[in-house]
Amino acid sequence: MLTRLREDIASVLERDPAARSAWEVLTCYPGVHALIFHRKAHFLWSHGMHWAARFVSHISRFLTGIEIHPGARIGRRVFIDHGFGVVIGETAEVGDDCTIYQGVTLGGTSLYRGTKRHPTLEAGVVVGAGAQVLGGFTVGAGAKIGSNAVVVKPVPAGATAVGNPARIIDPVRSQEREEKAQQMGFSAYGVTQNMDDPISRALHGMLDHAVDTDRRLQCLIDRLKAAGINIDGEVEADNQFDPGKLSKMVD
């Protein structure tokens, strides 16, 4: 018990820059308190004392704002940051070194008892604030779930799931996409490093490319005219395209 507690405190000090000392983590971090209560509740649950286990879990929820069913399996060095509003269901499994932010639900979509209704998080998974992971599937090791994502299908190891419903961003598809993802960064609070919406940035990039393409085409037409080749009759100018107007629409 003490070894697990030391590991929990060390993991918080490693992952949370706001943590100043082991004493502060032990006395002021509800995520650590919730794990302490859960270990007691899970022991009672696994020995058939279901009411006592649920009562300990209920007290833990009252004191910490974090609800972990005593039947859930929680690994080592799990960090529940802030934690308020976190709900972890009965058949959920959370692997070692996972990080879970506030408002996360590891919930079930089935009403049948005795079945695997809740997700399994493998080692090193990060679940961003407000995310909902619903169903008895597996989120692979090292995967990241973006803020407010709603995940209802398996996530491969090392991938990132964002959006509602969540879409999978596979980092091995292309080196360029990986480099762009690193530039944007992953945030548990659903913002990029410069606070821009990634979709908006992508649209702006496409508009910039369109404007640059038009400029290059006009330059080519001017060069052809200078060389005595007139293609005005073959190419109709479209004056309806206004990149400035489109840019404002995605701001």
Side-chain angles (χ1 to χ4, degrees), residues 10 62 88 193 200 204 236:
F62 177 77
I88 300 177
Q193 292 175 352
S200 177
H204 278 298
E236 295 183 1

Side-chain angles (χ1 to χ4, degrees), residues 135-158:
F137 52 82
T138 297
V139 178
K144 295 181 176 68
I145 308 298
S147 174
N148 295 318
V150 179
V151 184
V152 293
K153 61 182 180 180
V155 179

Side-chain angles (χ1 to χ4, degrees), residues 91-95 98 106 116 118-123 125 133 135-141 155:
T91 61
E93 299 178 42
V94 180
C98 288
L106 304 183
K116 172 66 171 169
H118 303 87
T120 295
L121 309 185
E122 294 185 343
V125 171
V133 187
F137 52 82
T138 297
V139 178
V155 179

